[in-house]
Structures are given as C-alpha cells and as structure tokens.
Amino acid sequence: METLMVDRVQNSLRFFMHRNAIFLCERLCAEFPTEINLQLLATCYLQNGKAYCAYQILKGTSMPHSRYLFAMSCFQMNLLQEAEAALCPANEPNVEVPDGAAGHYLLGLIYRYMGRQALAIEHLMQALTLDPLLWAAYDELCVLGAIEEANDYFSDMAAQRIQQQYLSESSSLNSSNGSEFYNLSSNMAVTSVDSIPRQSKQLGNNTREIASLPLSVMIAKVPASNSGSSNFSQYITPPAATQLSGVAPPPLCRNMHVSFNVANNDVSTKLNNIAVQAPRRKVLDEGKLRKVSGRLFSDSVPRRSTRLSAEAIAVASSNRLSAEAIAVASSNATQVIGNGNGHTSTKFLGGFSSSSSSKVNAASSRSLTFRKGHSWISENFDEGRRSEAFDDSRMENMATTSSSTSMSGDSRYLEQGKAIGDLAQDSRLINGAQELLCLLRTLGEGYRLSCSYRCQEALDAYLKLSEKQFNTGWVLSQVGKIHFELVNYFEADHFFDLARRVSPSILESMDIYSTVLYHMKEEMKLSYLAKELLSVDRLSPQAWCALGNCYSLQKDHETALKNFQRAVQLDSRFVYAHTLCGHEYVELEDFENGIKCYQSALQIDQRHYNSWYGLGVVYLRQEKFKFAEHHLHKAYNINPRSSVLMCYLGMTQHALQRNEDALEMIERAISADKQNPLPVYQKAIILVSLECYDEALNELEQLKESAPHESCVYALMGKIYKRFEMHEKAMLCFGLALDLKPPAADVATIKAAMEKLYLPDEMDDTL
Amino acid sequence: MSRVWTRDRRVVTAGGRQAAMATELDGEEETAAAAGKLTGSPQLSVEDDLREMAKNAAWSVSSYKPGNNVLSLRDDNLDTYWQSDGAQPHLVNIQFQKKVKLQLVILYVDFKLDESYTPSKISIRAGDGFHNLKEIKTVELMKPVGWVHISLSGNDPRETFINTFMLQVAILSNHLNGRDTHIRQIKIYGPRPNPVPLQPFHFTSQEFISYSTIR
C-alpha cells in the first residue's frame, strides 16, 4: 500500500494535481509516518506554495534531504537563521551540505540575504563546481560581483563532470536489480571501511578541499557490522595510489576474471593482486568525489530506514563486491565506495533479503556486466578529467583496450557490447555537454560583463550567440538593459519592445523598460506597458513598478510612491522597487524616508549603484557635500563607466571647492560619453566660478551646437557677457533663453538679470 | 433665499479664471467683476512647474468650532470645512521650517452652501513670524463658488515669488456680514525645485534632461 500511495502522490505532483497529492500524502504519512514520506509531503506543500506547512512537519528532522526541504521552507518564510542552521548544523561543522549543488546554492542565497557575502560567494562557487550547469548560482555570483572569468565555470572540465554525473545516474537507473546490486557491491566495498578513512585522509592531504573529511565522516557512519569480511580491508589501498598509469586495463581485466569467479576462495587472492596494482592509481579529484557521492547519497537516502545487516548477504556478494570494488578501486575507487556508503548498502540489503540467492546470482552477474561497463567508462572519464596527464586519444585507447580485453563467456561479450554501447552514449553525452557549456559560456560572459557594467564588451559577447538564442526574451531584454546603462534609450526601447514581442508575457526586466520609457517621457507607451504587465500578472512587482513610473512621469509622486510600496510588499527582495520608493520620497522632499528606502535596497543588493547614487543626491540636496561625495564615489566604484555618475562626482567636488579634481572628473565624464552634454555644461559652470570666462564661453559655444534648445546654456552665456559688460550680447542671450520657455523660477531669475543689466555687478550671488 | 447671482461666463476674474456657471447677469455684478473681485472656478488649474508647498508646514487657526477644526482645511475633502468661532479677523497661519518661495494661494469656498459664512474680503500677509507680518495682497470675493486662485506675484518679473517663513490668510469680512466663516480647503503653491542639484538653471531640452539623472 505504501508504495502504491507514494506512486500516486508522485503522479499527482507530476500532473500538478496538488490537492490530490496533498490529500493522499497526508493519508500516507498518517499510515506510515516515516521520514521519507514526510519529505514527500513537504515537497507537496512546497510545490503548492505552502512553505509554512512544510516547515511544521519537517521541524527537527535530520536526514539530509529533509534538512534541505526544511531549509527551503525557512528560506521562503524568511527565517534565515533557522534555514542556515538546518543546512549547516552548528555542532557538526564538517557535515556535508545535503543535496550537493542544490544545498550549496540554497546556502549561498541564505548567506546573501543575511548579508554575509563572503560565505555566500564561497557556497555559490561550491554549487557551481558540483553542478556546472547551475546557471542560477552563476547569476547570483555575477550579481554579487564575484565572477572573474566565465570561462572557469563553463569549461571543458565541467563537461567531463557532467558526463560523470549522468553516467552514474543512468547506471543506477538502468536496472533496478542491477542498481541494487550495484549499491550492494559498492556498499560492500564500503564495508572495508576501516582503511578507507585512512585513504580519505591521504586524499585530504593531497587535495585542496576538505571534502574528504565529510567523506570519512560518512564512511565512518557505516556500521561496522556490515563488514563481515575483514579481508576486504586489504584492497583498500587503491585510493592511495597516486599515479595514473596505463596499468588500468590489465587490473580491470583481472577484475573481470575475478568477477566471474563466483567462488569465494578466489576473492582473497584476487584481492591481493588488485591491491598490489591499485596503489598506482592517481588520487582522485575531490570535487568528483563529492559530487558523485552527493549524487548517490541522494539516491539512497530514501532507503536508509530499511537498513539491515545481513552477513550472509555480505559474504555471498563478496565476490561481486570484490570485483566491483577492485574495478572501482582501480579508478574511482573511493568515489564509488563513498557513494555506496551506508545508505546504498542498506538499500541493497533490504532488497536482497527479499530475493532468492539464485536470482541474486543471475542478477549480480548482470549488474556486474553493467557495472563493469560503467566503471570502465567512469574510469576513462576520470582519467580524462585528470586532464594534465591525459589526452583524449589515450582515453580512447584505454577504453578500447578495456573493451577489447575479452573475457571468455557470454557474459563477457554482453559486457563488452554494453561497454561499447555505453561508450558511444558517453561520447554523445560529452558532445552534448560541451555544446551546452559553450552556450552557457557565451551567455555567462555577456551576463558577467553587463553586471560589471562593461557594456560594450557585454554587447559583443551577446552578439556571438546564434540567432535562435539571441531572439529570445531573456537575451533581448539583457541587451535592452545594456543599452539602458549606456543611456541609449532609443536602442533600449527597441530591444525591450522586441523582447516583449518575442515573449509577450515576459516580466523579468520590464521594470527597467518602464524606466527607459520614463526617461524618454513616453507617457502613452508607459501607461500601455503598465496595463499590459498588470494584465499578465497582477502580483508581480515589475508591473507595479511600471505603473508607479507612469504616475511619477505625470508628477503625481504620492500615487507613484503608493505603487512602488505595493511592489515592495509583493516581493521585499526586489531591489529596484526599494530604490524607486527612495526616488519618490526624495521628489516629495521627505529625505529621511528616502534614505531609509535606499538603505533597504542596499541591504538586499550592495551593488545596486542606483541606490548609492540616490543617497548621494539626497546629501547633495541637504548640502552635506562630504557625505554626498562618499556615496557617489561608492556608486562610481561599482559602475566606473557611467558618465552621469562622473558628472555628479565632479559637481560635488566643485561644491567642496576641489576644483582640480572636479575638472579632472568632468574631463573623464566627457570622454566616457561624447553624447552627454551635461559634463560640458558643468565644466563651463566650474570655469565661470574660476573666472576663466573665455574657456567657459568656448564650452558653451560647443553646447549650442549639440543642444540648441537648451535655455540654461544661453542663460549662462548671458551671464558671462554681462560680466564682460557686452550688454547687447547679454540681452540677446537672455532673450534667447527666455524664448526657450524655462520654468517660472528661471524666468524670474533671467528677467531680473535683464533688468539689472545696466547696473554694476553687486553681490550677484544667485546669478 | 435670494437669487444667486453669478457671473456670465465671459467675464474674467482678476486671476484670469472664468466662472463656470452661466446664469443671469446682474448689472451690479458686472461692475463688481470689473472692479476685480474674484469668484471661484470649479477647476483647480495650476501650472506644471508649481507644486503644493505646505504639506510639511505647521497650520493653525485663530479659532474653530469643535468638529470643524483646521484638519478640514487640508483633508482634500470639499465636504468638510473649517468654521471659525471668534472675533474677526479670522486667521489661518501657515509656518514653514525654512524660507520657501510661494506663488499661489488657492481656497475652496462655496457661497451657495455657506452663504453668510463665505468670506468676502481676504488679506494675505507674509513675514518671518507673528511679530513682523506684512500684508502683501488683499482680494475681494463676490459670491464665489469653487476654487479661488490668489496670486502672490508682483508686477515685476523679479517678484514672481515671495520668499518667506510664514504666511497668514486673514478673513476680514464675510458675505452678508456674517461673523464666522467657512473655508473648505486651502492649498499653497510654489515653484518646483530643480531636480538636478547644484544647478543655477533648470534644464529644458530633452538632451539635457535625459542625461541629468539616474533612476
């Protein structure tokens, strides 16, 4: 009944029949309250968005996957401390993070939102090493500013790793019996636990990671009672082997022989043989070890509860184990052993007890066949991964030699066939992995560059994509964002529009699109966008940000603020909503609340330079120039290519009377973006204050060309001519300035200046 | 209840606003209009470069009837009103935290509803505090219905704004010689500050504006 219920629940989950799944699962847990079933129930709840229910039922559980699910529910409920404690228990500092890459990713997120950046970065990197296709971890790392080279993460090494993963996965799925036996054998290998801790320690010495420690801990957990065969300890030495050698095939061959030798007595002799050869094996890469072990752990976790110890089984399957162990030992020894640790053993044992021995024999030989192939392949790929010493051809050779080491007996042919078939599959797998990694590499490069605001290079990176990939919502909106950062609002508009046409329900970067339209003062388009986004998803923060921008454009700052606050309520981790709230408060001259909003934005994402800029502007308005400079500088450090930021920095430095620095910064701003007229204008202002009127006039003449309808240019020119006492020119300029319809305040100032034209320059501080 | 006389639509008030209701024209009213008396308009129309200034100001009144206190002046609700409860002149005091530039005072009054409670003569004073208020404008209203716009600008373009710490709206007399007064809403407008700090002038062209801020 239990398995039937589990099956129905999983089926319901797959077809999104959540109520059915939850109901059945609750019945299941009531009937068979095991931790595995609790995990299933928690999964049902989490999939249905009911994190609080999952939290309730998983409190206090200790299996790795349960802890992962518990941490996930805590994270969704924003209970970050508990989530961290679940994944990294304080009293067990060396315990492996459950569920490998996923666990590390979740932990990275938790640390990020707790503000512990260094730890977050460490765990995210870990996640990426364990699972090179985990784009989300890469995304977070870019946002945190921790990526130096995309190539490191989507390299060919990663391809090998992926292959290994898939192989071990497929192997365990291939035949249930086989997998059981596989587990058993590997488990049996594990039973020779005694020496393994030694091995692991050696490994630990040789490799950089501490991963070996968790491994040894896990291994230690395997009950000693399982090792009914102490003689197995003899062949543990393999992992200690440090040299990659072409010896691999021969031992393998011998293993084969051994494997087919059902007689127990053969075992020990063969073992000794293998033990001799094994030492030449190279120390395994810890990363592989962890990854594979992680994978197998997750497979075997559900069966822990059925752990039994059956010595008979241990003995009977010792041959398998030995052969298995040996084969494994010569290559991935520690890996598989680690994999088989504890859990898998029980899994097998549980299964074993229900089958007859003959069946076991037959199945075991099959599994062995399959295992052989597997271990060959994995061995090959392992060696391939030790890339320094190997090249592909050699790998191929080994594979062929291994496969060609023919064994007498049909089973051997079977094995061979299987091995070759596996090989072909593997080469396809590795090609596929490499292609995917190539794609991810390009995307990663573009994304990383755009996160460090190197916009031109990011654009180049994205252009390398194939057309089909480029014309997708995500890429197009990323390109739009890049143009937005480059202040090319027209281009940005174009790309965002394309993105919306390609995928009409895209929401992700639409808040940036609304800001683009805000800058372009396109009221119609902006309100249309806001309406559309709301109709797609009324509960998305982007839609409310767009609507807020719409009101802000119409100068209705209170309503805009309300909308941005709604966006914050919908998703308090959405940085931009906080920043926009801050902007609106500042427009309403409520500086205190504005500062608070900017600071909450910075708590979520320290690299959101808009918030740093916002804080700088607040302090500028309050005339706290030193504070302003500090904050603007921080923004500038994050985005050193923004000419607007440089311009503001220059203005602040001018206000602090540091005119040389100011002029230098302004020059940088001018060269960063030739189309930005503001730095030139600021330069003119500074020159006027330094009484270098002629140079200022030069700059203003330039501006007349590039921005012919700008009233302030003429107003400033008029002021300069007034200083020169060139009254007609001054009148002309003031007149032109007035013609361009400045707001009332400026009209007043300019008219006042005109009136006073023929009066001597008294304390003319305003003008 | 006497007939309500309001202006003909074509007649323009001193502030340049027109009366919305077209009803009978009375000769006396016309001369009154020509004399520059204000009447209300149903629309609150303010230029784009002005904004409401008194949200963070301290508002106080000389007297009020319980239930109709100063909050009703600022609640954006035209049904609630402030009712004074003392001797004339009735005063509404608005104090700012720092010197601000002001251009426009707008009141909402309704002769049809309030009759003798409707103000007829209003004086606007400005200064640093209660001790040195100086009258800057006086207006007379003629049966106003709607928003009454009172500009604070002088004739000189240099005097578009007044720069002050405090503003006082004094109700000197009411229609039909009423003692107390009703005012339903008051708004104070001044120029918007430059969105770009540290600038002597505002930016007008799209080229400048699009590069002027980061959002």
Side-chain angles (χ1 to χ4, degrees), chain A residues 487 489 518-519 549 552 555 558 576 580 583-584 589 610 613 644 648 651 673 675-676 678 681-682 707 709-712 715 743-746 748 751-752 755 767, chain B residues 47-51 55-56 98 103 156-158 160-161 191-215:
Chain A
V487 200
Y489 295 133
Y518 171 91
H519 276 290
N549 267 331
S552 184
K555 308 276 182 213
E558 269 138 13
Y576 201 41
L580 287 169
H583 288 320
E584 290 308 308
E589 308 223 332
N610 310 52
Y613 161 84
V644 182
Y648 269 80
M651 280 155 53
D673 186 352
Q675 295 186 327
N676 185 355
L678 242 60
Y681 185 69
Q682 297 305 317
H709 297 292
E710 183 50 58
S711 145
C712 66
D746 281 1
K751 284 202 176 153
E755 299 268 324
L767 197 51
Chain B
E47 279 141 30
D48 219 13
D49 56 356
L50 295 177
R51 65 182 173 106
K55 293 226 176 81
N56 292 332
K98 50 181 185 170
Q103 189 176 353
D156 203 319
R158 280 174 286 179
T160 324
F161 314 108
R192 284 188 196 275
N194 198 337
V196 189
L198 304 180
Q199 296 300 307
F201 300 105
H202 284 70
F203 297 149
T204 56
S205 68
Q206 189 57 22
E207 296 94 335
F208 269 62
I209 292 176
S210 55
Y211 281 97
S212 62
T213 52
I214 290 181
R215 188 160 174 85

Side-chain angles (χ1 to χ4, degrees), chain B residues 5-62:
Chain B
W5 306 109
T6 48
R7 296 181 166 264
D8 178 80
R9 323 194 139 128
R10 279 173 283 122
V11 178
V12 171
T13 66
R17 314 279 170 221
Q18 290 178 324
M21 307 259 223
T23 51
E24 289 184 8
L25 201 59
D26 192 70
E28 293 167 13
E29 308 307 329
E30 247 182 38
T31 47
K37 296 201 181 178
L38 298 178
T39 176
S41 83
Q43 252 77 41
L44 176 68
S45 50
V46 176
E47 279 141 30
D48 219 13
D49 56 356
L50 295 177
R51 65 182 173 106
E52 232 265 306
M53 299 290 296
K55 293 226 176 81
N56 292 332
W59 290 70
S60 58
V61 289
S62 57

